[in-house]
């Protein structure tokens, strides 16, 4: 007769209490495992991904996990996965003394390939999610992006008109760089263009600076 300590119930409770960003990182890591790395003999499993996310949640303040930091933590998760593959070491969250990679039976050739693949994914930044078929299909099939870009263009046109009105009402020679309203318009313009830049990167578009984005979205 053999006995073992089982943490299934505790792990389920922990996962259920992860916040939205934790959960999304976990899901994206599992999708990367299935669609990009595609292990054949369970050299890496979704259980490894779960432990990476649990350690992220353990070692970092809760308020750092939000919608804006999603890709930061995905990048961090990929870095931890790469380290685990290189060192063949990943502590089990429930019993840190136990190494989850101790019996992974990972061959050197497969190890080198996965390290190279993960390095490439980390270099891609947010565009890494385009490697995932379900997400790529959802982006292409949805009409929402066109509506979103149309909205951004309309807001930028309104800012351009407001800037023009400022010049016309005050006179070109009286509006300088220190003008508070003009400065606010420029700040809003840059913030909007950065949002558009991130969206374009996510959808796989080539980006060549904010001026290029402004000219393209305004169709000049």
């Amino acid at each position: 007769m053999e006995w073992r300590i089982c943490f299934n119930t505790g792990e389920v409770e922990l996962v259920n209490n992860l916040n939205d960003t934790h959960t999304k990182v976990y899901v994206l890591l599992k999708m990367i495992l299935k669609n990009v790395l595609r292990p054949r003999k369970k050299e890496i499993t979704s259980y490894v991904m779960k432990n990476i996310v649990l350690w992220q949640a353990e070692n970092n303040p809760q308020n750092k996990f939000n919608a804006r930091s999603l890709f930061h933590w995905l990048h961090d998760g990929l870095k931890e996965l790469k380290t685990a593959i290189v060192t063949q070491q990943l502590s089990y969250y429930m019993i840190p003394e136990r190494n989850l990679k101790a019996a992974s039976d990972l061959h050197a050739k497969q190890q080198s390939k996965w390290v190279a693949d993960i390095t490439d994914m980390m270099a891609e930044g947010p565009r890494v999610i385009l490697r995932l078929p379900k997400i790529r299909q959802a982006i292409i099939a949805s009409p929402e992006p066109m509506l979103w870009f149309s909205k951004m263009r309309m807001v930028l046109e309104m800012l351009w008109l407001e800037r023009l009105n400022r010049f016309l009402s005050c006179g070109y020679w009286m509006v300088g760089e220190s003008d508070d309203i003009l400065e606010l318009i420029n700040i809003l313009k840059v913030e909007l263009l950065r949002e558009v830049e991130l969206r374009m990167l996510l959808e796989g578009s080539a980006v060549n600076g904010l001026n290029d984005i402004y000219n393209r979205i305004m169709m000049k």
Side-chain angles (χ1 to χ4, degrees):
M1 183 178 292
E2 293 183 354
W3 295 84
R4 70 172 183 173
I5 300 173
C6 180
F7 294 102
N8 288 353
T9 303
E11 289 177 2
V12 169
E13 184 66 20
L14 288 172
V15 171
N16 287 340
N17 282 278
L18 294 175
N19 69 18
D20 185 62
T21 300
H22 293 137
T23 304
K24 287 178 179 176
V25 171
Y26 180 33
V27 170
L28 288 171
L29 286 174
K30 289 202 298 181
M31 294 174 74
I32 286 171
L33 176 66
K34 178 181 178 181
N35 295 288
V36 181
L37 301 181
R38 293 178 288 191
R40 296 180 180 180
K41 299 180 181 179
K42 295 188 176 180
E43 301 95 335
I44 307 174
T45 65
S46 60
Y47 195 67
V48 168
M49 305 305 189
K50 180 193 294 184
N51 276 264
I52 288 174
V53 173
L54 289 175
W55 280 120
Q56 281 185 334
E58 174 77 16
N59 295 326
N60 299 279
Q62 179 83 359
N63 60 10
K64 288 191 175 182
F65 293 87
N66 51 60
R68 287 182 174 271
S69 66
L70 173 61
F71 289 107
H72 166 78
W73 293 113
L74 178 59
H75 185 278
D76 182 77
L78 289 171
K79 182 180 72 173
E80 293 300 321
L81 177 60
K82 178 181 174 180
T83 300
I85 292 173
V86 170
T87 63
Q88 286 297 283
Q89 174 70 43
L90 179 65
S91 295
Y92 176 32
Y93 181 77
M94 305 303 286
I95 308 177
E97 295 79 13
R98 179 187 169 195
N99 178 17
L100 291 178
K101 301 295 294 176
S104 63
D105 192 27
L106 183 60
H107 299 294
K109 184 177 180 180
Q110 184 66 78
Q111 183 185 46
S112 297
K113 182 180 184 305
W114 279 342
V115 168
D117 289 342
I118 294 171
T119 301
D120 290 342
M121 285 189 282
M122 292 171 65
E124 289 175 4
R127 293 182 61 184
V128 67
I129 64 171
L130 294 177
R131 288 175 176 247
L132 309 174
K134 287 185 178 179
I135 292 181
R136 188 169 63 248
Q137 183 179 6
I139 291 174
I140 294 172
S142 174
E144 189 272 337
M146 183 65 69
L147 296 174
W148 188 86
F149 279 111
S150 295
K151 178 182 176 182
M152 290 298 104
R153 179 185 178 188
M154 182 177 68
V155 175
L156 285 169
E157 286 177 342
M158 292 174 64
L159 289 175
W160 183 83
L161 288 173
E162 186 63 35
R163 185 173 184 273
L164 180 61
N165 287 336
R166 183 68 179 166
F167 279 118
L168 293 175
S169 61
C170 299
Y172 285 95
W173 59 89
M174 297 183 65
V175 179
E177 293 297 325
S178 61
D179 185 270
D180 291 337
I181 295 178
L182 184 61
E183 183 178 356
L184 179 59
I185 290 173
N186 289 333
I187 291 173
L188 291 173
K189 174 185 172 183
V190 170
E191 289 179 353
L192 286 170
L193 289 174
R194 292 201 183 281
E195 283 190 47
V196 174
E197 179 183 35
L198 178 59
R199 185 66 176 262
M200 291 175 70
L201 287 171
L202 289 175
E203 296 187 7
S205 299
V207 176
N208 188 27
L210 298 186
N211 287 334
D212 174 59
I213 295 171
Y214 182 76
N215 290 333
R216 288 161 65 179
I217 199 171
M218 298 292 283
M219 291 186 174
K220 289 185 178 181

